[in-house]
Amino acid sequence: MALLELHSLSKSFAGPNGEVRAVEGMTLSVEPGEFVAVRGPSGCGKTTLLLAAGGLLAPDSGEVRVAGENPYQLSAEQRARFRAEHIGFVFQQFYLVPYLNVLDNILVPALASASTDCRERAGQLASQFGLNDRLHHVPSQLSTGERQRTALARALLNRPKLVLADEPTGNLDGDNARAVLTALADFARAGGAVLLVTHDPLAAEHAVRSVEMKKNKS
Amino acid sequence: MNLARLVFRELRYRRLNFLLGVLSVAVAVACLTAALAVLRKHDLRTDQIIAAKETATREQMATLTDDYRKLTLKMGFNVLILPKDQNLSDLYADDFATKYMPEEYATRLAKSRVATINHVLPSLQQKTNWPERARTVLLMGVRGEVYIQSKKQKPLLETVAPQTMILGYELANSLKLKAGDKTKLMGHEFSVAKINPERGNKDDITIWINLPEAQEMLGKKGLINGILALDCTCDTVDRLGLIRTEIAKILPDTQIIEFASQAIARAEARTRAGAEAEESIRREKEGRAKLRSEREALAAMLVPVVMLGSAVWIGFLALANVRERRAEIGILRALGLRSRQVLLIFLGKAVVLGLVGAALGYVAGRLIGAAWRETPGAPPIEMALIEPRMLLTVLVAAPVLAALASWLPAMVAAQQDPADVLREE
């Protein structure tokens, strides 16, 4: 069974010059152990697709299924819990909490889950991503690469089945970008599913499958 | 990791926002606490003033009572000795006694070495016509003083010489008589020796003449109808009883009544002083109550305004905080935090802010209250810095009010759609 299924997904927004069709009729599935890249130019609706897949943005039409369940059939509270348990997010801007140190940032998803081994798991992830000596530093004291690795560790804390990554290498240099993409590939190899949206062809090279998205017309 | 840790980390990170909020709560709580402390001090000062006045009044009254006791012991008072069969109702109705007793009673009394009397004044008094002047007058025959042999005092009343008269003011005035004038009374020739000053009583229509002449003119030879015993003294509380007992032994056919005396006036003065003191206390209480109600009205206007201002300020600070933390809220929601948890993060912050502000404001308010001088120069009023009930009330109320003021911004945060933030960012 596919971990992520998108079927005829469409999403429009009201723009200053009328309706903007961000995503139109998108169908896609990602199997466990699969690293799929969605490529396309800026403004083609990649982020909208990712948010819809992550249960954060209800589509106008079509269907989303994560681990066999349609998150939009759940209540807002249930959907939040569903996200916490099944989905990890990685963003280009990292979105680390500025006043929490690395360890606490990695532990933020623990606020939404009932798991008991969070601190242990956070330590493992920090070690895995080379953050051991930065655990008590706040984001402003980290390099961009360290920030993204912290965000990646945070995304993996609750052992999600699916990781959704939105331009995770957009702000990184080559070495750090490679490290992040390798980590995502490792996660997929370990049985997880990764959906990466990017406009960078090099980033897409780490994926086992690549899907092209074209810019929709308004 | 828990929400409290998140709240405290954020408080440390955004210190200015936190300090401004704390300051706002502290000002409101200080204002309330100081107002209550000032009112409390006012009450304590009122109690102090009233207690001092009451003590002073008590002391004054005790002094007056003591003085009264001493005065009445030392000071003489007057009694009138009347024939035993004299009806007192008639006496009061006619202004003179209608029964008679021997003039010798006065001499007997004076000779008896009576201890409780200093002066003995026998008199014969009767309402009669002054045929020559067609007037009704009170004719009083006086003998002057009958000296008590054991005492060497000065005479209290001057003697009226034979063939002279002393006239009351009204009589002399209406009859145009003056000292030195000659006039006839019931066929006898008299010279006016003196005109008494106006007294506003029956004395103004009285003619005083020598007792033997009066006895002759009224046909009461050797008789009198009253002995005025003046300046009576005795060392017991029941002075009248003692005098009555002593005189009854000497003059068994008489009765004794008390005349209004200085002692009564003293007692009345004392009562008046007491009433005035009470009135003064009542006026003080009234003044203090008025001042309190003015202070209360000011506090009732000022405190809610400051509290409302503080609440609005906290609301604005919370709203600014929500806007500043938009991305953070978005990612927290994306990572699975429920809207209730986001709400708790903001309300938790408001509660902490309220608690710290309340504690600081309470101490500041009490210090202001302690420094407040009710009246310049008045003795300081000691007041405990910590009043547990009041402290507990502000420690509960301020966080609740701060949370209420932050409620709308917290709701905005909780309802924020993470997709909006993540798409826009």
Side-chain angles (χ1 to χ4, degrees), chain B residues 11 22 26 53 63 69 86 93 97 103 115 138 205 226-227 247 250 279 308 326 335 354 356 374 393 402 404 413:
Chain B
L11 289 179
V22 166
K53 281 215 163 195
T63 308
R69 189 179 59 79
Q86 173 63 51
E103 187 187 345
L138 272 172
I205 56 159
I227 301 169
I247 292 175
I250 304 157
E279 175 62 17
L308 185 68
R326 206 162 171 267
L335 294 176
V356 177
E374 172 62 26
T393 305
L404 284 175

Side-chain angles (χ1 to χ4, degrees), chain B residues 265-292:
Chain B
R266 291 276 184 193
E268 283 170 356
R270 180 179 161 275
T271 309
R272 266 202 310 278
E276 274 171 22
E278 275 176 20
E279 175 62 17
S280 161
I281 291 171
R282 190 192 64 75
R283 275 201 304 270
E284 184 69 47
K285 279 182 181 170
E286 218 173 73
R288 297 291 300 172
K290 194 179 166 208
L291 183 61
R292 192 190 200 283

Side-chain angles (χ1 to χ4, degrees), chain A residues 13 47-48 51 56-57 76-77 80-81 83-84 89 91 93-95 97-101 104 107-113 119 154-155 158 166, chain B residues 1-3 5-7 9-10 13-14 325 327-328 330-341 345 417-425:
Chain A
F13 297 102
T47 299
T48 302
L51 294 175
L56 289 166
L57 188 64
E77 296 295 287
R81 183 178 285 274
R83 275 199 304 273
F89 288 94
F91 297 94
Q93 291 86 353
F94 325 128
Y95 290 126
V97 180
Y99 49 84
L100 295 180
N101 62 28
D104 285 340
L107 282 166
V108 164
L111 292 169
S113 74
R119 282 196 82 82
R154 180 181 67 187
N158 285 342
D166 184 3
Chain B
M1 187 65 179
N2 53 44
L3 288 181
R5 186 177 174 85
L6 198 78
V7 168
R9 293 277 174 181
E10 200 270 335
Y13 181 70
R14 294 191 177 90
R325 296 170 71 182
E328 180 193 327
I331 193 65
L332 290 176
R333 296 279 284 130
L335 294 176
L337 263 76
R338 266 97 59 203
S339 56
R340 194 176 63 247
Q341 287 176 295
I345 289 171
D417 186 347
D420 285 348
V421 182
L422 298 173
R423 273 182 62 240
E424 285 165 21
E425 297 277 336

